[in-house]
Amino acid sequence: MFTLTRLHQKIDERLHLARQRPAPDSLELTRLKKMKLRVKDLIQRLARSAPQADHTTRRPSAG
């Protein structure tokens, strides 16, 4: 999941740089936006399907 999050950040950085150009390429912007959205959706899907840590589980007491 860390790798996907890092990829999402890299795409966001590229998108930011592309927007700052004097004449941004609309096709590149669209491609980067779609790529970023696909990665975000994948991260969210993995987060929902990953087993969540159960913090309510008690350890047996010693004694």
Side-chain angles (χ1 to χ4, degrees), residues 5-47:
T5 303
R6 186 67 190 130
L7 177 60
H8 187 266
Q9 290 171 345
K10 290 251 184 215
I11 296 168
D12 190 50
E13 291 167 7
R14 288 176 58 191
L15 187 57
H16 180 72
L17 290 173
R19 285 182 178 143
Q20 289 182 336
R21 291 188 184 128
D25 181 353
S26 61
L27 291 176
E28 181 184 10
L29 291 175
T30 300
R31 185 180 62 82
L32 288 169
K33 287 177 185 179
K34 287 181 179 183
M35 190 184 315
K36 183 179 170 187
L37 184 57
R38 282 194 300 265
V39 172
K40 180 181 176 183
D41 288 344
L42 183 55
I43 291 169
Q44 290 176 342
R45 232 177 317 152
L46 288 173

